CSV table of all heavy atoms in Angstrom, one decimal:
chain,number,residue,atom,x,y,z
A,269,PRO,N,-9.1,-7.0,-14.8
A,269,PRO,CA,-7.6,-7.1,-14.8
A,269,PRO,C,-7.1,-8.5,-14.8
A,269,PRO,O,-5.9,-8.7,-15.0
A,269,PRO,CB,-7.3,-6.4,-13.4
A,269,PRO,CG,-8.5,-5.6,-13.1
A,269,PRO,CD,-9.6,-6.4,-13.6
A,270,TYR,N,-8.0,-9.5,-14.7
A,270,TYR,CA,-7.6,-10.9,-15.0
A,270,TYR,C,-7.9,-11.2,-16.4
A,270,TYR,O,-7.1,-11.9,-17.1
A,270,TYR,CB,-8.4,-11.8,-14.1
A,270,TYR,CG,-8.2,-13.3,-14.4
A,270,TYR,CD1,-7.1,-14.0,-13.8
A,270,TYR,CD2,-9.0,-14.0,-15.2
A,270,TYR,CE1,-6.9,-15.4,-14.1
A,270,TYR,CE2,-8.8,-15.3,-15.5
A,270,TYR,CZ,-7.8,-16.0,-14.9
A,270,TYR,OH,-7.6,-17.4,-15.2
A,271,MET,N,-9.0,-10.8,-16.9
A,271,MET,CA,-9.5,-11.2,-18.2
A,271,MET,C,-8.8,-10.5,-19.4
A,271,MET,O,-8.6,-11.1,-20.5
A,271,MET,CB,-11.0,-10.9,-18.4
A,271,MET,CG,-11.8,-11.6,-17.3
A,271,MET,SD,-13.5,-10.9,-17.2
A,271,MET,CE,-14.2,-11.3,-18.8
A,272,PHE,N,-8.4,-9.3,-19.2
A,272,PHE,CA,-7.9,-8.5,-20.3
A,272,PHE,C,-6.4,-8.1,-20.2
A,272,PHE,O,-6.0,-7.0,-20.5
A,272,PHE,CB,-8.8,-7.2,-20.5
A,272,PHE,CG,-10.2,-7.6,-20.8
A,272,PHE,CD1,-11.2,-7.4,-19.8
A,272,PHE,CD2,-10.6,-8.1,-22.0
A,272,PHE,CE1,-12.5,-7.8,-20.1
A,272,PHE,CE2,-11.9,-8.5,-22.3
A,272,PHE,CZ,-12.9,-8.3,-21.3
A,273,THR,N,-5.6,-9.0,-19.8
A,273,THR,CA,-4.2,-8.8,-19.8
A,273,THR,C,-3.5,-10.1,-20.0
A,273,THR,O,-4.1,-11.2,-19.8
A,273,THR,CB,-3.8,-8.2,-18.4
A,273,THR,OG1,-2.4,-7.7,-18.5
A,273,THR,CG2,-3.8,-9.3,-17.3
A,274,ALA,N,-2.2,-10.1,-20.5
A,274,ALA,CA,-1.5,-11.3,-20.7
A,274,ALA,C,-1.2,-12.0,-19.3
A,274,ALA,O,-0.9,-11.3,-18.3
A,274,ALA,CB,-0.2,-11.0,-21.4
A,275,SER,N,-1.2,-13.3,-19.3
A,275,SER,CA,-1.0,-14.0,-18.1
A,275,SER,C,0.5,-14.1,-17.7
A,275,SER,O,1.3,-13.8,-18.6
A,275,SER,CB,-1.6,-15.5,-18.3
A,275,SER,OG,-0.9,-16.1,-19.4
A,276,PRO,N,0.8,-14.4,-16.5
A,276,PRO,CA,2.2,-14.5,-16.1
A,276,PRO,C,3.0,-15.4,-16.9
A,276,PRO,O,2.5,-16.4,-17.4
A,276,PRO,CB,2.1,-15.0,-14.6
A,276,PRO,CG,0.7,-14.7,-14.2
A,276,PRO,CD,-0.2,-14.8,-15.4
A,277,SER,N,4.3,-15.0,-17.1
A,277,SER,CA,5.1,-15.8,-18.0
A,277,SER,C,5.6,-17.1,-17.4
A,277,SER,O,5.5,-17.3,-16.2
A,277,SER,CB,6.4,-14.9,-18.3
A,277,SER,OG,7.2,-15.0,-17.2
A,278,PRO,N,6.0,-18.0,-18.3
A,278,PRO,CA,6.5,-19.3,-17.8
A,278,PRO,C,7.6,-19.2,-16.8
A,278,PRO,O,7.6,-19.9,-15.7
A,278,PRO,CB,6.9,-20.1,-19.1
A,278,PRO,CG,6.0,-19.5,-20.1
A,278,PRO,CD,5.9,-18.0,-19.8
A,279,ALA,N,8.5,-18.3,-17.0
A,279,ALA,CA,9.7,-18.1,-16.1
A,279,ALA,C,9.2,-17.6,-14.8
A,279,ALA,O,9.6,-18.1,-13.7
A,279,ALA,CB,10.6,-17.1,-16.7
A,280,THR,N,8.2,-16.7,-14.8
A,280,THR,CA,7.7,-16.2,-13.5
A,280,THR,C,7.0,-17.3,-12.7
A,280,THR,O,7.2,-17.4,-11.5
A,280,THR,CB,6.6,-15.1,-13.8
A,280,THR,OG1,7.4,-13.9,-14.3
A,280,THR,CG2,5.8,-14.7,-12.6
A,281,MET,N,6.2,-18.1,-13.4
A,281,MET,CA,5.4,-19.1,-12.7
A,281,MET,C,6.4,-20.2,-12.1
A,281,MET,O,6.2,-20.6,-10.9
A,281,MET,CB,4.4,-19.8,-13.6
A,281,MET,CG,3.3,-18.8,-13.9
A,281,MET,SD,2.1,-19.5,-15.0
A,281,MET,CE,2.9,-19.4,-16.5
A,282,ALA,N,7.4,-20.5,-12.9
A,282,ALA,CA,8.3,-21.6,-12.4
A,282,ALA,C,9.2,-21.1,-11.2
A,282,ALA,O,9.4,-21.8,-10.3
A,282,ALA,CB,9.2,-22.0,-13.6
Side-chain angles (χ1 to χ4, degrees):
Chain A
Y270 173 88
M271 298 163 70
F272 298 107
T273 193
S275 58
S277 73
T280 288
M281 289 180 284

